[in-house]
Each structure stands twice: as C-alpha cells, then as structure tokens.
Amino acid sequence: MDLFESLTAKVTGKQIKIVFPEGAEARVLGAAVRLQHDNLLHSIVLGDPAEIEKVATAHHFDLSGVETINPETAANFDDLVAAFVERRKGKNSIEQAEKMLKDPNYFGTMLVYTGLADGMVSGAVHPTGDTVRPALQIIKTKPGVSRTSGAFIMQKGEQRYLFADCAINIDPSAEELAEIAVTSAKTAELFDIEPRVAMLSFSTKGSAKADAVTKVQEATKLAQASAPAYSIDGELQFDAAFVPAVAQQKAPDSKVAGNATVFVFPELQSGNIGYKIAQRFGGFEAIGPVLQGLNKPVSDLSRGASEEDVYKLAIITAAQTLID
C-alpha cells in the first residue's frame, strides 16, 4: 500500500485536531481546507479572521468546518497564559507570557499542550527555530529522550527510506546519536518501513581512524545495547549500507549493510546535504522533517513547502498521535 493510502486509512474519521499557526498563508490554508473536507482531520487555523477570509476568497477556499482562532482575542487566552506560566516554572512572568502567546507558534503549541489540539504543523513562513523552540519549552521530549531530532521519509515509487537527523542537531554526541538511531527506528515502523538502521560515516568497520569515526562506533554500540530488538549496525559508508555488492566487500558479516532502510547521519551538515542530494539528483520525494521524540507531535515545514507538502505533513502529524 502507498504510504499515504496507509496513513489516510489510519486517520480518516478520527477527527484528530491539527493546528496550523500560519492560517493566512495560502499554501497552509489550502491544505487545511482540503484536509477538513476530506474528513482526514479537524483543521484549526490561527490568525486574524479578516485576513484568513481575504485569502480564502482570493483562492476560492471553502472555510466551512475549519476552526479559526485569533490568538489576540481568544476567549481562553488568560487560561492559556496561566497554564504557560505554570509549565515554565517561574522562567516567564505573566506579562512575558501574554506577549509570547500572541505569537501564533506559542499559542498553537499551548493548544497542543492543553489538549485543545492533538498536533501542530508550522514552518511554511517561520524558520525552524520558531516552530521547535516553543515545542521544546512547552511540550518537551518523551521520558528517556534528551532531545528532539528531525527525520525525512524519502520516497520514490515503491522505494521508501528514512533519513535522520537532517534538521535539528548540529553535532550530536555519541549518546545523542544513539538516541536518534533508536527513535528513528520507531518512526520508520509508523511509516511501514522495516527498520534496518545504518550508522553512517566516511569509514566502514574501522577502515579510517578519526574522532568522528570513533563517535559513530560508540553510538552504534550504545544504540545496539539500548534497543537489541532492532537491527542497528555501523559504522558504515553509504555505499556499504545501501549496495549489496559493496556490502559483501566491506562488511560481509553485517545484517544491515547492503540492506539498510534507515540512515542515521553523523551530524547535521551531512544529513541535510544528503537528503537534498537524494531529492534533487535522485528524484526522491522528501517528506518532512518529522520531529521525533516529543511528547506530542509538532511538525516543521520547509519554507519552500507546497500546499501538497503541508497536506501530507499534516497527515503524518495526525498519524503520530496514534502511537505511544
């Protein structure tokens, strides 16, 4: 089954509430309207109702069923401010909280935290930090997860892989890299990818010596120890991880080499470059980034995202609400 056929089947009719802070952005509003009318989720869009109506009229969007909230005038604004101050445990005053919650990303995150929404999709206009920062401050990571990470589902025809971390952590430690590997394996399962996790490097099984290689070797051992049920191996060069003939030469005893489906990059620079090469040179559709490890799902769009990208990422976000 196609990825989105599978995910659509999982979320259809469940009225999962997804909030879109960038409600007056045409790409976002168009996706929110389609999702509502397709009965895939309940769309909540944030912004000035007059601005949203103006965009809807210009693009012939039917807003029926779509919930619109203006953070500036929301009836429950004071309640959310109080909940935010309590959550921040004295780090922000009421006055600061009132100012912060007028930011749609903070307001939307508070809707998710308080259960008034199940997940959030933002980033079509805002940079990644504006989406991720409120999520880390308010929703926070799951027990046992020290930080969030960003994964992309890479899809081309019947081929489907997961790349991580391509969005968040600039230079993760061995411990953090191991955590990303295990979290990515769990994410892969949600998207019907059997996780075979390759810990990538410019070295395969000790072929090169460097601190960067040692970090991946240590991360591999930690990931294997913490999640023995998953197939995780490294350090592996990409060709050894992906090409069976090369795997036979470079890592003949590996259960992952030549057959990997989840690729964990050693740091953000290579991860971001890698997924974009696969997307632009290889013709893969890059879906994401999917933020991993949060207590409740928040997804960050690329600012170059199309309406279709918003639509698909919202379905992914809704599906994430169905797993522990």
Side-chain angles (χ1 to χ4, degrees):
M1 184 181 290
D2 173 81
L3 172 61
F4 284 97
E5 288 180 1
S6 173
L7 295 179
T8 296
K10 293 176 182 178
V11 303
T12 296
K14 290 187 169 61
Q15 287 297 294
I16 297 166
K17 297 179 180 180
I18 301 297
V19 59
F20 300 89
E22 300 157 324
E25 165 58 46
R27 294 166 293 162
V28 173
L29 189 59
V33 166
R34 285 172 56 199
L35 290 158
Q36 182 73 43
H37 292 172
D38 291 346
N39 196 32
L40 295 180
L41 50 85
H42 175 66
S43 294
I44 304 171
V45 297
L46 304 185
D48 182 340
E51 286 296 318
I52 292 170
E53 186 66 43
K54 182 179 178 181
V55 173
T57 300
H59 292 83
H60 307 289
F61 296 149
D62 177 5
L63 293 177
S64 59
V66 175
E67 184 177 354
T68 301
I69 301 175
N70 186 351
E72 300 270 353
T73 59
N76 61 346
F77 185 81
D78 290 342
D79 293 337
L80 293 177
V81 166
F84 177 78
V85 171
E86 181 180 357
R87 180 61 164 169
R88 295 290 288 154
K89 301 185 185 303
K91 293 179 181 177
N92 295 106
S93 66
I94 290 177
E95 292 76 16
Q96 289 172 326
E98 287 174 342
K99 183 178 180 180
M100 293 168 78
L101 262 65
K102 289 180 181 179
D103 179 316
N105 280 309
Y106 272 96
F107 188 90
T109 304
M110 281 302 299
L111 292 183
V112 177
Y113 172 65
T114 57
L116 296 174
D118 300 303
M120 186 175 92
V121 175
S122 189
V125 177
H126 297 88
T128 293
D130 288 0
T131 301
V132 175
R133 191 178 306 110
L136 294 179
Q137 291 177 348
I138 300 167
I139 294 174
K140 302 186 179 182
T141 55
K142 293 178 179 179
V145 177
S146 66
R147 58 180 55 210
T148 190
S149 56
F152 280 85
I153 298 98
M154 308 298 295
Q155 183 167 274
K156 181 181 179 182
E158 294 184 358
Q159 299 178 77
R160 192 182 305 163
Y161 306 102
L162 189 136
F163 285 11
D165 178 3
C166 305
I168 305 294
N169 297 288
I170 294 173
D171 188 17
S173 66
E175 291 78 12
E176 290 163 350
L177 201 58
E179 193 175 89
I180 291 168
V182 175
T183 305
S184 297
K186 294 176 181 178
T187 299
E189 290 179 316
L190 172 64
F191 300 113
D192 301 325
I193 300 170
E194 183 181 346
R196 295 183 292 274
V197 184
M199 309 293 285
L200 297 178
S201 175
F202 62 87
S203 169
T204 297
K205 299 297 184 179
S207 64
K209 306 292 183 185
D211 290 344
V213 174
T214 301
K215 180 180 82 168
V216 178
Q217 292 170 339
E218 292 175 354
T220 301
K221 292 176 183 176
L222 290 168
Q224 290 169 336
S226 66
Y230 289 120
S231 295
I232 302 172
D233 200 15
E235 86 284 11
L236 296 170
Q237 291 164 285
F238 185 83
D239 57 354
F242 190 67
V243 182
V246 177
Q248 280 298 310
Q249 292 293 322
K250 293 186 174 183
D253 297 325
S254 174
K255 294 180 180 179
V256 170
N259 199 30
T261 56
V262 177
F263 299 88
V264 177
F265 292 84
E267 33 66 39
L268 180 59
Q269 185 163 244
S270 59
N272 191 269
I273 292 168
Y275 100 79
K276 289 180 186 292
I277 288 174
Q279 180 185 35
R280 302 300 179 180
F281 276 9
F284 276 81
E285 180 182 11
I287 302 164
V290 178
L291 297 186
Q292 307 180 124
L294 291 170
N295 275 311
K296 293 184 178 182
V298 171
S299 294
D300 175 46
L301 292 157
S302 164
R303 278 174 284 175
S306 65
E307 179 184 308
E308 187 67 15
D309 293 332
V310 181
Y311 183 90
K312 288 181 175 179
L313 192 57
I315 293 172
I316 287 172
T317 307
Q320 286 181 280
T321 69
L322 304 176
I323 62 172
D324 295 330

